């Protein structure tokens, strides 16, 4: 059995009872692929490389925990993120930490080295030194939408996690199909219309304006989230 099946079973077990999460997705990114090697140019010049996390890196296991439509509804109204949305963010972080630990343990029991990437969010430059979404893109899980979310075959509303491993198994290739309607040349812009600050526009993204909302949410709700542009839009939840 491929470790992908084992990873799915581990994740399913960990999310049992988390009724805001649907069936998870798992992809394998080749640590030496052009997508992974190019992350320093596309995200940050000091973004961690897989070998910075694990010298024997071969495959990055990337997974997506898609949220339910009902979870998004709690953040539909108003011009500030909801307390429930912030709570779901924190609870999902706890699950991601547990899943990562369980994946590493299972691999180590099988004699395969693995490590959890620690690159956090740099609040000065507003960049991540381990971009879960870019890693997930390299693992074939989806393509970026106008709202900077990665749109997967299950939608874009949810959370990603990853573990760097010395596994030697076939990897996935990045998706070639464009999943964002606007980027594909159609009319949507639903995410832009939902952004109450103007941080998101058809022409780009104002990182600082967006972070100002997240920071206020951290002070008031206990999580640096917003996500108004990620919920109740056509690409949020696909069955
Ligand atoms: S809401 Fe529409 S424009 Fe925005 S990311 Fe989703 S598909 Fe693209
Ligand atoms: S997260 Fe909030 S502030 Fe940032 S782009 Fe989306 S809707 Fe706008």
């Amino acid at each position: 059995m491929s470790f992908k099946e084992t990873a799915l079973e581990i994740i399913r077990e960990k999310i049992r009872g988390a009724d805001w999460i649907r069936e998870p997705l798992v992809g394998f990114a080749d640590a030496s692929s052009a997508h992974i090697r190019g992350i320093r140019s596309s995200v940050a010049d000091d973004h961690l490389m897989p070998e910075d996390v694990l010298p024997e890196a071969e495959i990055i296991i990337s997974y997506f925990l898609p949220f339910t439509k009902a979870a998004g509804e709690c953040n539909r109204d108003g011009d500030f993120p909801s307390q429930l949305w912030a709570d779901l963010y924190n609870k999902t972080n706890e699950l991601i930490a547990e899943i990562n630990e369980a994946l590493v343990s299972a691999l180590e029991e099988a004699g395969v080295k693995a490590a959890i990437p620690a690159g956090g969010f740099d609040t000065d430059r507003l960049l991540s030194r381990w971009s879960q979404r870019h890693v997930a893109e390299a693992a074939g899980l989806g393509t970026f939408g106008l709202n900077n979310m990665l749109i997967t075959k299950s939608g874009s509303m949810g959370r990603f996690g990853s573990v760097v491993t010395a596994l030697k198994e076939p990897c996935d290739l990045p998706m070639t199909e464009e999943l964002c309607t606007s980027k594909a040349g159609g009319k949507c812009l639903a995410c832009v219309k939902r952004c109450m600050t103007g941080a998101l526009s058809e022409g780009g993204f104002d990182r600082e304006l967006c972070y100002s909302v997240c920071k206020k949410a951290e002070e008031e709700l206990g999580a640096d989230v917003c996500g108004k542009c990620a919920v109740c839009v056509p690409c949020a939840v696909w069955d």
Side-chain angles (χ1 to χ4, degrees):
M1 180 165 78
S2 155
F3 191 78
K4 198 180 274 185
E5 288 306 312
T6 308
L8 265 172
E9 280 174 16
I10 289 170
I11 298 169
R12 285 187 192 120
E13 181 57 33
K14 288 289 171 191
I15 62 171
R16 196 183 302 278
D19 60 4
W20 67 97
I21 297 174
R22 291 176 291 138
E23 171 68 6
L25 302 178
V26 173
F28 281 2
D30 181 344
S32 60
S33 66
H35 253 76
I36 292 294
R37 306 325 293 181
I39 280 185
R40 282 196 169 153
S41 341
S42 51
V43 182
D45 57 11
D46 59 349
H47 191 286
L48 295 178
M49 286 288 102
E51 59 273 20
D52 297 327
V53 181
L54 181 76
E56 303 85 351
E58 294 280 348
I59 285 176
I60 308 167
I61 301 175
S62 173
Y63 58 89
F64 180 53
L65 306 179
F67 284 10
T68 61
K69 249 182 203 154
E73 288 295 327
C74 79
N75 200 29
R76 172 194 284 274
D77 300 326
D79 57 5
F80 194 62
S82 75
Q83 182 64 62
L84 185 51
W85 184 250
D87 294 344
L88 290 181
Y89 175 86
N90 285 333
K91 285 203 268 186
T92 310
N93 278 350
E94 287 168 20
L95 287 176
I96 288 172
E98 286 178 24
I99 290 168
N100 289 345
E101 293 291 346
L103 289 173
V104 170
S105 296
L107 284 162
E108 285 178 349
E109 274 171 32
V112 179
K113 290 189 176 173
I116 301 163
F121 186 66
D122 181 332
T123 52
D124 292 328
R125 294 179 303 156
L126 306 183
L127 294 169
S128 172
R129 291 192 64 226
W130 185 263
S131 167
Q132 298 290 358
R133 281 172 276 181
H134 282 81
V135 169
E137 181 189 34
L141 286 182
T143 66
F144 278 93
L146 205 62
N147 59 359
N148 300 313
M149 302 300 287
L150 197 76
I151 307 175
T152 73
K153 65 179 191 189
S154 296
S156 60
M157 184 178 57
R159 301 288 308 286
F160 292 90
S162 59
V163 168
V164 180
T165 79
L167 263 179
K168 289 186 180 163
E169 287 194 12
C171 291
D172 297 293
L173 293 173
M175 265 188 205
T176 49
E177 186 191 355
E178 181 56 77
L179 298 180
C180 170
T181 309
S182 292
K183 283 189 168 182
K187 289 191 178 15
C188 178
L189 301 182
C191 51
V192 171
K193 288 174 202 143
R194 282 196 48 80
C195 179
M196 63 293 175
T197 62
L200 189 64
S201 68
E202 202 174 345
F205 173 60
D206 185 329
R207 219 171 268 280
E208 292 198 3
L209 199 48
C210 177
Y211 187 62
S212 66
V213 180
C214 297
K215 193 145 180 45
K216 192 161 179 253
E218 185 172 28
E219 287 159 12
E220 296 185 16
L221 309 175
D224 61 341
V225 289
C226 170
K228 291 289 181 187
C229 59
V231 307
C232 307
V233 292
C235 64
V237 179
W238 289 342
D239 297 318

